[in-house]
Amino acid sequence: MINDAAENTIDLARQENVSRILDAAERLFRHYGYSKTTVADIARDLGMSPANVYRFFASKVEIHQAICGRMLALSYQMAYDACHLPISASDRLRRFVQGQYQMTVETMLDQEKVHEMVVVAIERDWHVIERHVDSIHELLADVIREGIAAGEFAEQDADVASRCFGAATISLCHPQMVAQCLAKTNRATVDELVEFTIRALKK
């Protein structure tokens, strides 16, 4: 029992240090940019040595990957909440896309430095991003299945439909694409694209 308590204390202390490092790193990445921030900068901000940071993360890339994971976890929670609302399947899909779009605009594109951090993560094609995409597809597939069962959507393979729905609306959730299209007047609006995609599920 004593050993268990000691291990729990160590785990909590480790988690606290990990969280402090990630919070400091994200703050510096947002302020100075990912490329201009070093592990030494992160350690200095925390009042610790770089060697101490390396006890928890092998590199700046690993720190960035963990921050990316936290951001994706927030995105997933928003998606999960939208997909489990007590409303029609169509409305849940609308809420999902609108929520993801709003988060992309407000959280990821609010500063050029944040955009850089996101772009670097996407370009590296990390497994955490692929797992996130798979998780989102699973959520959407469940909504589409319920829509099919309720007679709201046409009979179809829900998994395929989910992947197609994601591909059709990617320009509203992908940071680089959102950034490029924000000021364009010859692009479909959020509502236009969502309605077009939902109609496809009903045919």
Side-chain angles (χ1 to χ4, degrees), residues 149-164:
E152 192 176 341
F153 300 146
E155 285 291 337
Q156 57 196 295
D157 186 317
D159 292 317
V160 172
S162 170
R163 293 193 293 271
C164 290

Side-chain angles (χ1 to χ4, degrees), residues 29-181:
F29 290 165
R30 286 176 178 271
H31 186 73
Y32 296 109
Y34 172 75
S35 60
K36 292 183 179 179
T37 302
T38 66
V39 172
D41 294 328
I42 297 168
R44 190 179 307 112
D45 185 79
L46 290 167
M48 63 174 64
S49 68
N52 201 28
V53 174
Y54 285 122
R55 285 178 54 213
F56 302 96
F57 295 98
S59 64
K60 185 176 82 166
V61 170
E62 194 172 290
I63 293 173
H64 184 198
Q65 189 172 7
I67 291 172
C68 178
R70 293 204 308 188
M71 294 174 71
L72 293 176
L74 176 60
S75 172
Y76 177 81
Q77 187 59 54
M78 289 181 61
Y80 181 92
D81 291 344
C83 289
H84 287 82
L85 289 169
I87 52 181
S88 70
S90 295
D91 284 339
R92 276 180 277 164
L93 293 178
R94 290 186 183 97
R95 294 285 188 91
F96 160 76
V97 176
Q98 290 163 352
Q100 293 296 303
Y101 177 77
Q102 202 61 36
M103 180 187 177
T104 302
V105 171
E106 293 179 356
T107 305
M108 299 185 182
L109 303 183
D110 60 348
Q111 302 173 43
E112 182 180 342
K113 305 297 191 304
V114 180
H115 190 206
E116 177 201 5
M117 186 168 63
V118 174
V119 168
V120 169
I122 292 172
E123 288 177 345
R124 285 180 171 154
D125 197 23
W126 282 333
H127 64 277
V128 291
I129 296 178
E130 287 306 301
R131 284 205 307 268
H132 174 71
V133 171
D134 288 341
S135 297
I136 292 297
H137 284 163
E138 289 172 8
L139 283 177
L140 296 178
D142 286 343
V143 173
I144 292 170
R145 280 192 197 91
E146 291 175 18
I148 294 170
E152 192 176 341
F153 300 146
E155 285 291 337
Q156 57 196 295
D157 186 317
D159 292 317
V160 172
S162 170
R163 293 193 293 271
C164 290
F165 185 90
T169 57
I170 188 63
S171 64
L172 304 178
C173 307
H174 191 292
Q176 288 169 294
M177 298 180 75
V178 171
Q180 291 168 5
C181 295

